[in-house]
Amino acid sequence: MLAKLSKWMIMSGVLSLSLTGCGTTPSTTSFAGAKGALSTGNSASPLGMNTNEVMESDASMPFLDLMRAAMPFAEASPWLTKGNVTYDVNGWPANLNGGQAGTRFLSNLPAAVIPGGTYTVLYDGEGDIQYMNDATLTEHKPGVDLINLDAGSDGILNASLLITRSNPQNYVRNIRILPPGGICASNPFQRVASAAACGGNYQSFVENANSIIFNPDFMNFMKDFRSIRFMNFSGVTRSTERAWSDRHTPSKAVWGGKEGSRGAPLEIQVELANRLNADPWFTIPHAADDNYVREFATYVKQHLNSNLKPHIEYSNETWNTIFSQGGYMIDMGMRLGLDTNAVRAGYRYYSQRSVEIFNIWESVYGGPQRLVRILSGWTVNDKLTEVVLTHKDAYKHADAFAIGPYVFGGHAEIRDVRSVDQAFDLMNNPVYRHSLEKELGYVRMQKAITDKYGLQLVAYEAGQGLADFKTKTDDEMPNPMLFAANRDPRMRDVYARLLSGWKAEGGTLFMHYTAPRMFTKHGPWGTKEYITQPTSQAPKYQALLDFIRSTPCWWDGCKR
């Protein structure tokens, strides 16, 4: 196997998304994937899906190459990376200077999230890589390692690597960690173990990683949704990006990391939307300048399939001051003298900057016809909606207004939950402020406003919201009860009533939050708990599929 791989690499070159030499950055990025959409069954779907942050603990596992979501080497200091390590422009350790450089590429994930067994590690340069935790080296040749990934008795996957020796004149870089097996070219949504399953059109992961790119399990999950919101995936929350040169690029060593540094490149977002035949919902970083917006729009126009409509939103929850973008709105609104009240000044700045961004996109596209321009607000706050829509007649430059209808009863009440029945009472009993009935009432309130201004009502996020944000651990009460409620068959009925109620009240596109994600102290948000979890164990996912199959999209212009 190793001899065959080495020969193949010499003949065909590097398997990375972009070809990079020692310390160089490519000027363009090309993909060897199939042209046109690979998914065609979502054209009448009424539902979209939010993505997760790119991290080594993301249970949606979007990428084939496990290195894509790994922790940056520099961020792994002082636990894995030690000494005075210096880096190239893409974040690869260019000189260890007597130290070591490490990263974690799997963290606290259930064993079933990916196949166990032998993984192939490809890399450029000269040096030695050590593997730790649930990863063990089984075979080595220059540029190619075979490792075994086995979660062990605890059933939890953790895996790290260390570069312990690296030639500064030809340093270790372009590491790729690729699974066994492959796909049949005729079905990119299913893993197969070998060519025997394909009848002549087998594509191994190792030899086709630069064209397959995405985990087929992730593709299979996403294929039923008509739109993909890239807010988390792109790293927009607390983003530090201002200039186009600040953006995430395919040539970066990894796309994972902490807030402000992580995020999948725009090229990858567009490629995923094209392959899934899904409208991309882009969230523009709050401090992005005009040139950033223009370059962003230009790339999308040039590369997004022409039947798809970019959904454009300025940042995320800019009214919510727990995020840095909330404070930025207030600072800019006050600086420009948009209102004497700081909170309203922030609302007005968000509205004003949104329209400026929409205008740039329109100039690139030659008009708004292929765009969906979205203003967003707070589900319970009708005054915010009025300010955002009426500031300088912003509603005349938008197509939709977005809210986030979550069902959870109430933040204070959640703290006292000690049984699954109590959790369902919070959602079903109309006495609570965020019960299902009350939440649909807020939808009705917002629909009346959007009707007045001629806009569609959409949901940028939505679903259950059983999260206690004050807990410190996953097993602290009420978390075990909230997790159990999300696994309970009754959740399927709550979702069915939420979705049918959303339609009945006049809502249109509904973007669920979020892709498969482990239940943690931060909330049980995942549609499933991990990407390969059986549908029979995921009542929220069952309800979403039920609705997609029984209720084709109903609003004007919804069918592609």
Side-chain angles (χ1 to χ4, degrees), residues 46 281 311 372-380 385 389 398-405 439-461 501-511 554-555:
W281 182 316
H311 289 46
V372 178
R373 302 160 298 173
I374 301 169
L375 294 166
S376 297
W378 188 2
T379 307
V380 300
T385 306
L389 294 184
D399 303 294
F401 187 78
I403 59 174
E439 208 66 24
L440 291 175
Y442 304 137
V443 173
R444 189 180 314 119
M445 173 187 74
Q446 295 285 2
K447 182 63 167 61
I449 300 173
T450 57
D451 280 352
K452 181 167 63 172
Y453 296 107
L455 301 180
Q456 286 188 342
L457 182 66
V458 301
Y460 67 89
E461 294 173 13
W502 168 258
K503 179 187 177 186
E505 297 297 347
T508 57
L509 177 62
F510 182 103
M511 305 291 293
W554 54 87
W555 55 93

Side-chain angles (χ1 to χ4, degrees), residues 121-137:
V121 180
L122 305 177
Y123 62 92
D124 298 341
E126 300 173 12
D128 295 322
I129 303 175
Q130 177 183 330
Y131 303 91
M132 300 182 298
N133 308 114
D134 294 320
T136 54
L137 179 68

